[in-house]
Amino acid sequence: MKLRHLLLATAAVAGMYAGSAYAAADLFPVGQDARFSWKSLEDFKAAHPGLAGQKLTIWDAWSSEGDKSQWEAVLSYFKDATGIDAQDNSSKNYEEQARIDLQAGSPSDITILPQPGLLADFAKQGYLTDLGADTTKWLGDNYAAGASWAALGQFEGKDGAVHQYGFPYKQEFKSLVWYSPDNFKEKGYTVPKTMEELLALTDKIVADGGTPWCIGIESGGATGWTATDWIEDIMLRTQPPDVYDGWVKNTVKFNDPRVIAALDIFGSIVKDDKKVAGGTKAVATTAFGDSPKGLFTVPPQCYLHRQASFIASFFPEGSVSGQDYDFFYMPPYASHPELGNPVLGAGNIATITKDSPAARAFIDFLKTPIANEIWMAQTNSSFLSALKSVNTAAYSSDALRKQGEILLNATTFRFDGSDLMPGPIGAGAFWTGMTDFVNGKSSKDVADQIQSAWDKL
């Protein structure tokens, strides 16, 4: 085990990127662009004097060049405002390295990870610092669907009590349906505002001789994961958030009738040859990245594709958002107005793993609009923010702004359920179960199969 850890540590260090090459004035000069909430930076600076020269180390998941450089640009404003010597580090093995560092007693001051389940483990082991009830209230007051975001960072600590250990930052968004505006215009279709309208549009496209959906769930060893997102979105639109929460914790069993009903709604689409490009048999063998391409063929192989915001990177080269393709929020059921506008997504959670005044100041910085807007405004950014006080004009594209506004309109946010389930279920039995479901197994048999796997853990 020690050798394995040593190898991982060596690889991680080799892959590290250290230090910011940016100065704040290099990107968006302070005070010179009305899109930015510069006053929030001034107020933050005034509230955090006397920190110059203190050191702060940050460990996060942003090791790819795009995210890395964009995040370091944001961090440069924190450094300039406080004089703190902040060093940002990451690696491709960021999760394992974070665990190694904590167990070795040498963590970074700040650890930012996109895995709430892993952070919950760290909290239980006593590695995280309680951010306090004030942070819980702040999130509730200042984030859209704030109670949801606060809860995402609340874990049981070593004392057995639940505390606010995490601060959500940099959100991601999955509840999107993609389409071609030209194809919709040609057929006279309109963007549905409710799930009932979306299902009616599905039937109308079939009646018109078309195929409504492109769906592909092939993803190598992870085949089936795209179908799990469908079920999670449907669960949030048919059941209260506490049922969703119970489902991912297995206090609501996987073969509960409410979960089986969600499977059946998905099945009403994916198991109908007339509603899926290539027919049902093609779903499990079509790579998820190839599946939306039918939106762009002439004539179109399909009119609708449900997938997260990242899927645009798989679209044909040169295709333009708002012209060649667009998207809409996967709508709620009109018959369930009590469920509001739920959003399925993911995101990163900042924690203090070594407490200090500099670490506390860093969490305060993340609360400022400027800490969000600087990333929102960078070219090719994928940054979304649930902070209600950000200026959405700062988003670098209309598509990103539209996604940000959907996020701000959310009444409930829930993290990807399969990522919250134990690994053998969320990244195992759930994936294979959905593949079996698409390939012909009944919803009841699949739900029983997944629950049986859970019972054996």
Short mmCIF file of all heavy atoms in Angstrom, two decimals, residues 44-73:
data_model
loop_
_atom_site.label_atom_id
_atom_site.label_comp_id
_atom_site.label_asym_id
_atom_site.label_seq_id
_atom_site.Cartn_x
_atom_site.Cartn_y
_atom_site.Cartn_z
N PHE A 44 -14.18 43.77 -0.02
CA PHE A 44 -13.45 42.60 0.49
C PHE A 44 -12.06 43.00 0.96
O PHE A 44 -11.61 42.59 2.03
CB PHE A 44 -13.35 41.53 -0.60
CG PHE A 44 -12.40 40.42 -0.27
CD1 PHE A 44 -12.76 39.41 0.62
CD2 PHE A 44 -11.12 40.39 -0.83
CE1 PHE A 44 -11.86 38.40 0.95
CE2 PHE A 44 -10.23 39.38 -0.50
CZ PHE A 44 -10.61 38.38 0.39
N LYS A 45 -11.39 43.81 0.16
CA LYS A 45 -10.03 44.23 0.52
C LYS A 45 -10.04 45.02 1.83
O LYS A 45 -9.19 44.80 2.72
CB LYS A 45 -9.45 45.10 -0.61
CG LYS A 45 -8.05 45.59 -0.37
CD LYS A 45 -7.54 46.36 -1.58
CE LYS A 45 -6.10 46.84 -1.35
NZ LYS A 45 -5.59 47.58 -2.55
N ALA A 46 -11.01 45.92 1.98
CA ALA A 46 -11.09 46.74 3.19
C ALA A 46 -11.39 45.90 4.43
O ALA A 46 -10.97 46.22 5.55
CB ALA A 46 -12.17 47.80 3.02
N ALA A 47 -12.11 44.79 4.23
CA ALA A 47 -12.51 43.94 5.36
C ALA A 47 -11.42 42.94 5.77
O ALA A 47 -11.59 42.24 6.78
CB ALA A 47 -13.80 43.20 5.01
N HIS A 48 -10.35 42.84 4.98
CA HIS A 48 -9.32 41.83 5.27
C HIS A 48 -7.93 42.45 5.25
O HIS A 48 -7.07 42.06 4.43
CB HIS A 48 -9.42 40.67 4.26
CG HIS A 48 -10.71 39.95 4.34
ND1 HIS A 48 -11.87 40.37 3.70
CD2 HIS A 48 -11.08 38.82 5.03
CE1 HIS A 48 -12.86 39.54 3.98
NE2 HIS A 48 -12.41 38.61 4.78
N PRO A 49 -7.67 43.38 6.17
CA PRO A 49 -6.33 43.98 6.24
C PRO A 49 -5.37 43.08 7.01
O PRO A 49 -5.78 42.13 7.69
CB PRO A 49 -6.61 45.28 7.01
CG PRO A 49 -7.73 44.90 7.94
CD PRO A 49 -8.59 43.93 7.18
N GLY A 50 -4.09 43.39 6.91
CA GLY A 50 -3.10 42.74 7.77
C GLY A 50 -2.77 41.31 7.41
O GLY A 50 -2.23 40.58 8.24
N LEU A 51 -3.07 40.87 6.20
CA LEU A 51 -2.80 39.48 5.82
C LEU A 51 -1.60 39.35 4.87
O LEU A 51 -1.21 38.23 4.52
CB LEU A 51 -4.03 38.87 5.13
CG LEU A 51 -5.29 38.76 6.00
CD1 LEU A 51 -6.48 38.31 5.16
CD2 LEU A 51 -5.05 37.80 7.16
N ALA A 52 -1.03 40.47 4.50
CA ALA A 52 0.07 40.44 3.52
C ALA A 52 1.22 39.57 4.01
O ALA A 52 1.62 39.64 5.18
CB ALA A 52 0.56 41.86 3.24
N GLY A 53 1.71 38.74 3.12
CA GLY A 53 2.84 37.88 3.44
C GLY A 53 2.46 36.52 3.98
O GLY A 53 3.30 35.61 4.02
N GLN A 54 1.20 36.36 4.41
CA GLN A 54 0.77 35.03 4.87
C GLN A 54 0.71 34.08 3.68
O GLN A 54 0.45 34.48 2.56
CB GLN A 54 -0.59 35.11 5.56
CG GLN A 54 -0.56 35.88 6.88
CD GLN A 54 -1.82 35.67 7.71
OE1 GLN A 54 -2.54 34.69 7.55
NE2 GLN A 54 -2.07 36.60 8.62
N LYS A 55 0.93 32.82 3.95
CA LYS A 55 0.92 31.82 2.88
C LYS A 55 -0.37 31.02 2.90
O LYS A 55 -0.94 30.78 3.97
CB LYS A 55 2.13 30.89 3.01
CG LYS A 55 3.48 31.60 2.81
CD LYS A 55 4.61 30.60 2.80
CE LYS A 55 5.96 31.32 2.60
NZ LYS A 55 6.01 32.06 1.32
N LEU A 56 -0.82 30.63 1.73
CA LEU A 56 -2.04 29.82 1.61
C LEU A 56 -1.85 28.83 0.47
O LEU A 56 -1.53 29.22 -0.66
CB LEU A 56 -3.25 30.71 1.31
CG LEU A 56 -4.60 29.98 1.24
CD1 LEU A 56 -5.08 29.62 2.65
CD2 LEU A 56 -5.66 30.83 0.53
N THR A 57 -2.03 27.56 0.77
CA THR A 57 -1.95 26.54 -0.29
C THR A 57 -3.35 26.03 -0.60
O THR A 57 -4.18 25.85 0.29
CB THR A 57 -1.06 25.36 0.15
OG1 THR A 57 -1.52 24.86 1.41
CG2 THR A 57 0.39 25.82 0.27
N ILE A 58 -3.60 25.82 -1.89
CA ILE A 58 -4.92 25.40 -2.37
C ILE A 58 -4.75 24.15 -3.22
O ILE A 58 -3.89 24.11 -4.11
CB ILE A 58 -5.58 26.51 -3.20
CG1 ILE A 58 -5.72 27.79 -2.38
CG2 ILE A 58 -6.94 26.06 -3.73
CD1 ILE A 58 -6.07 29.01 -3.21
N TRP A 59 -5.58 23.14 -2.94
CA TRP A 59 -5.58 21.91 -3.74
C TRP A 59 -6.95 21.76 -4.38
O TRP A 59 -7.97 21.85 -3.69
CB TRP A 59 -5.28 20.69 -2.86
CG TRP A 59 -5.18 19.42 -3.66
CD1 TRP A 59 -6.14 18.47 -3.84
CD2 TRP A 59 -4.05 18.98 -4.42
NE1 TRP A 59 -5.68 17.47 -4.66
CE2 TRP A 59 -4.41 17.76 -5.03
CE3 TRP A 59 -2.78 19.51 -4.65
CZ2 TRP A 59 -3.53 17.05 -5.86
CZ3 TRP A 59 -1.91 18.80 -5.48
CH2 TRP A 59 -2.28 17.58 -6.07
N ASP A 60 -6.99 21.56 -5.69
CA ASP A 60 -8.28 21.49 -6.36
C ASP A 60 -8.23 20.53 -7.54
O ASP A 60 -7.19 19.90 -7.80
CB ASP A 60 -8.72 22.88 -6.82
CG ASP A 60 -7.66 23.59 -7.65
OD1 ASP A 60 -7.28 23.03 -8.68
OD2 ASP A 60 -7.24 24.70 -7.26
N ALA A 61 -9.35 20.44 -8.25
CA ALA A 61 -9.47 19.49 -9.37
C ALA A 61 -9.15 20.13 -10.71
O ALA A 61 -9.25 19.46 -11.74
CB ALA A 61 -10.91 18.95 -9.41
N TRP A 62 -8.73 21.38 -10.73
CA TRP A 62 -8.59 22.09 -11.99
C TRP A 62 -7.18 21.96 -12.53
O TRP A 62 -6.39 22.91 -12.52
CB TRP A 62 -8.99 23.57 -11.77
CG TRP A 62 -10.40 23.68 -11.29
CD1 TRP A 62 -11.47 23.02 -11.80
CD2 TRP A 62 -10.88 24.44 -10.18
NE1 TRP A 62 -12.61 23.33 -11.08
CE2 TRP A 62 -12.27 24.19 -10.08
CE3 TRP A 62 -10.28 25.31 -9.26
CZ2 TRP A 62 -13.08 24.79 -9.11
CZ3 TRP A 62 -11.08 25.90 -8.30
CH2 TRP A 62 -12.46 25.64 -8.23
N SER A 63 -6.89 20.76 -13.03
CA SER A 63 -5.54 20.49 -13.55
C SER A 63 -5.44 20.69 -15.05
O SER A 63 -4.35 20.81 -15.58
CB SER A 63 -5.12 19.06 -13.19
OG SER A 63 -6.01 18.12 -13.76
N SER A 64 -6.59 20.66 -15.76
CA SER A 64 -6.53 20.87 -17.21
C SER A 64 -6.18 22.32 -17.50
O SER A 64 -6.49 23.22 -16.71
CB SER A 64 -7.86 20.50 -17.85
OG SER A 64 -8.88 21.35 -17.40
N GLU A 65 -5.57 22.55 -18.64
CA GLU A 65 -5.01 23.86 -18.91
C GLU A 65 -6.07 24.96 -18.91
O GLU A 65 -5.85 26.04 -18.40
CB GLU A 65 -4.27 23.85 -20.26
CG GLU A 65 -3.52 25.14 -20.56
CD GLU A 65 -2.59 25.57 -19.41
OE1 GLU A 65 -1.99 24.69 -18.77
OE2 GLU A 65 -2.48 26.77 -19.16
N GLY A 66 -7.25 24.68 -19.50
CA GLY A 66 -8.29 25.71 -19.55
C GLY A 66 -8.74 26.15 -18.17
O GLY A 66 -8.64 27.32 -17.81
N ASP A 67 -9.22 25.20 -17.39
CA ASP A 67 -9.69 25.52 -16.04
C ASP A 67 -8.56 26.10 -15.19
O ASP A 67 -8.77 27.03 -14.40
CB ASP A 67 -10.25 24.28 -15.36
CG ASP A 67 -11.71 24.03 -15.71
OD1 ASP A 67 -12.36 24.95 -16.25
OD2 ASP A 67 -12.20 22.92 -15.45
N LYS A 68 -7.37 25.53 -15.34
CA LYS A 68 -6.26 25.93 -14.49
C LYS A 68 -5.92 27.42 -14.68
O LYS A 68 -5.81 28.18 -13.71
CB LYS A 68 -5.04 25.07 -14.83
CG LYS A 68 -3.84 25.32 -13.92
CD LYS A 68 -4.11 24.81 -12.53
CE LYS A 68 -2.92 25.03 -11.62
NZ LYS A 68 -3.27 24.69 -10.22
N SER A 69 -5.76 27.80 -15.92
CA SER A 69 -5.37 29.19 -16.18
C SER A 69 -6.51 30.15 -15.82
O SER A 69 -6.26 31.26 -15.30
CB SER A 69 -4.97 29.36 -17.64
OG SER A 69 -6.03 29.03 -18.50
N GLN A 70 -7.75 29.73 -16.07
CA GLN A 70 -8.88 30.60 -15.74
C GLN A 70 -9.01 30.79 -14.23
O GLN A 70 -9.28 31.88 -13.74
CB GLN A 70 -10.16 30.03 -16.35
CG GLN A 70 -10.17 30.10 -17.86
CD GLN A 70 -11.31 29.31 -18.49
OE1 GLN A 70 -12.15 28.76 -17.79
NE2 GLN A 70 -11.34 29.26 -19.80
N TRP A 71 -8.83 29.70 -13.48
CA TRP A 71 -8.92 29.78 -12.02
C TRP A 71 -7.78 30.62 -11.46
O TRP A 71 -7.98 31.44 -10.56
CB TRP A 71 -8.92 28.38 -11.43
CG TRP A 71 -8.63 28.30 -9.96
CD1 TRP A 71 -7.68 27.56 -9.35
CD2 TRP A 71 -9.32 28.99 -8.90
NE1 TRP A 71 -7.72 27.73 -7.99
CE2 TRP A 71 -8.71 28.62 -7.69
CE3 TRP A 71 -10.37 29.90 -8.87
CZ2 TRP A 71 -9.12 29.11 -6.45
CZ3 TRP A 71 -10.79 30.40 -7.63
CH2 TRP A 71 -10.16 30.00 -6.45
N GLU A 72 -6.60 30.46 -11.98
CA GLU A 72 -5.48 31.23 -11.47
C GLU A 72 -5.64 32.72 -11.75
O GLU A 72 -5.15 33.57 -11.00
CB GLU A 72 -4.17 30.70 -12.05
CG GLU A 72 -3.83 29.33 -11.49
CD GLU A 72 -2.40 28.91 -11.76
OE1 GLU A 72 -1.77 29.49 -12.67
OE2 GLU A 72 -1.92 28.01 -11.06
N ALA A 73 -6.35 33.03 -12.84
CA ALA A 73 -6.65 34.44 -13.11
C ALA A 73 -7.56 35.00 -12.01
O ALA A 73 -7.37 36.12 -11.54
CB ALA A 73 -7.31 34.58 -14.48
#
